[in-house]
Amino acid sequence: MPEASANIGVVGLAVMGSNLARNLASREGNTVAIFNRSYEKTETLVSEHPEAGFLPAQSYREFADSLQKPRTAIIMVKAGRPTDAVIDSLLEVFEPGDIIVDGGNAYFPDTIRREKTVRETGVNFVGAGISGGEEGALTGPSIMPGGSDESWVTLGPILKSIAAVAEGEPCVTHVGHDGAGHFVKMVHNGIEYADMQLIAEAYDLIRRGTGKTPAEIADIFAEWNRGELESYLIEITAEVLRQVDAATGQPLVDVILDQAGAKGTGAWTVQTALSLGVPVSGIAEATFARSLSSHPEQRAAAAALPGPDEAFTVAPEDVDAFIEDVRLALYASKIVAYSQGFDEIRAGAAEYDWNIDLGAISKIWRGGCIIRAQFLNRIADAYQAEPDLPVLMTAPYFAEALTRGQAAWRRVVIAAAQAGIPAPAFSSSLSYYDGIRADRLPAALVQGQRDFFGAHTYKRIDKEGTFHTQWSGDRTEIEAEDTH
């Protein structure tokens, strides 16, 4: 029987799991037990990193026996059936009060289901979103754990020991119960989709409009990264654009196939937003843009469709002004993406009875995660000043930024449309901005149409009640029973 001396264990030793285990082992006070279905990976990790002092296990029983009580294990395996299989195996050797943490990219309804099932055994189940990729797992990720208050007592200090640190604060907080952690991670990834698409559209507009090379555009992004757009994604965009392909001597971006992949979290974010009735148009268009890019047969068939008569070229004397317009449009659209994402988190919290602190979420995204950015501090300030802020972009800082940038934003969207350059995230973000600030929307006509063909009824602006016009009769209006 191994001595129960590990305070934390990791199951699943692919790159993410191995790096997380190494991160845990490098922090004072942690002793890490490790287990992998293939013991060969376990042996490799132990031999390559003897300094970690790992406690390797060849079976789930040996793994459980090496853990101090309450036993705490983080699962880092593929989402879906592999995760369920590991949970079932751990439940055979764990006891009431022990803690199982799923650190993968699980769909939050699966986490809700798993938490309910595992809770019946007396074991705590925690769905924890972990952002930062392979590097973050090793050096300090942003962590979004759900689960019970009881589990957080044990798990909190361990996760705080490995999380990224931003302005002296660990980038981890107890998000809420059952599926809250994976829900917030899902929305984080959705915002990430929008952010990346907006940056890509900015690059495309500058390149096509000014003829600048990728290396020259890299310098522009590097300059932007020293201002209000400072973020990890802007930083790495400059690095990608500077990279030269060794085989061809061309910019790497020019030899990469223009078909973007996706792992599902963007689609989950959009699907969930639809079910919650929350518009996340920027995230949706970013997700659809990846889908569009991945249909080369359709793109080839549509290549003969007509476009603008003249190529889009910015006059040399206007290049600097155009680039500044794109920067302002990018920042404005980015504000919309985050505002929509936080709307979805708030709606999800209401739907699933999670007490999610939006300001705390913005703080744990300041370091470690892919969407870390300077202006997350501004989001935290906004929610600190007004915890029930109904629309994030109405906070004074963001309202001022949108006011300052909206003329440029409109010019960029007009230029893209006239030039035939797709800018779906820029365009949809501007439409959302105009829609949410409108005094009156054409939804009134939609309600009239719905009442005409389906007797769905409508409300009036001048009196209480629900009404229906007898369209197939004498077209008089009658008061109808409110079925909504």
Side-chain angles (χ1 to χ4, degrees), residues 74-156:
I74 302 176
I75 300 172
M76 298 297 292
V77 300
K78 188 175 180 180
R81 290 182 180 178
T83 297
D84 286 321
V86 173
I87 293 170
D88 290 343
S89 296
L90 286 173
L91 288 177
E92 293 177 2
V93 294
F94 274 25
E95 299 173 352
D98 292 345
I99 304 166
I100 298 173
V101 183
D102 176 13
N105 262 344
Y107 190 27
F108 78 93
D110 291 338
T111 303
I112 293 174
R113 168 183 58 81
R114 288 168 179 147
E115 194 277 336
K116 182 179 180 182
T117 300
V118 172
R119 189 194 328 139
E120 293 174 355
T121 71
V123 174
N124 290 290
F125 183 78
V126 175
I130 300 177
S131 177
E134 298 172 9
E135 180 183 354
L138 180 61
T139 62
S142 173
I143 312 175
M144 296 148 260
S148 66
D149 296 334
E150 176 190 358
S151 64
W152 177 244
V153 173
T154 299
L155 193 59

Side-chain angles (χ1 to χ4, degrees), residues 214-342:
E216 290 171 328
I217 300 173
D219 291 339
I220 293 169
F221 276 94
E223 178 63 30
W224 288 356
N225 199 46
R226 289 189 278 270
E228 61 189 1
L229 277 171
E230 180 189 344
S231 67
Y232 173 70
L233 284 171
I234 294 287
E235 176 189 341
I236 67 168
T237 297
E239 294 297 318
V240 172
L241 291 175
R242 283 200 184 99
Q243 186 68 18
V244 175
D245 176 50
T248 64
Q250 297 182 61
L252 179 64
V253 72
D254 287 347
V255 299
I256 295 175
L257 187 66
D258 62 335
Q259 297 175 23
K263 291 189 175 179
T265 47
W268 292 345
T269 306
V270 176
Q271 291 163 353
T272 302
L274 286 170
S275 69
L276 293 171
V278 177
V280 291
S281 52
I283 297 170
E285 290 297 346
T287 306
F288 293 143
R290 294 195 188 188
S291 299
L292 177 64
S293 77
S294 299
H295 287 281
E297 73 293 343
Q298 290 186 316
R299 293 168 59 192
L305 293 174
D309 293 333
E310 297 181 6
F312 175 52
T313 304
V314 177
E317 64 271 19
D318 297 332
V319 165
D320 289 344
F322 177 72
I323 291 172
E324 175 62 7
D325 276 358
V326 173
R327 185 189 72 82
L328 290 167
L330 174 57
Y331 194 55
S333 299
K334 183 184 178 83
I335 291 170
V336 169
Y338 280 75
S339 186
Q340 291 179 342
F342 276 89

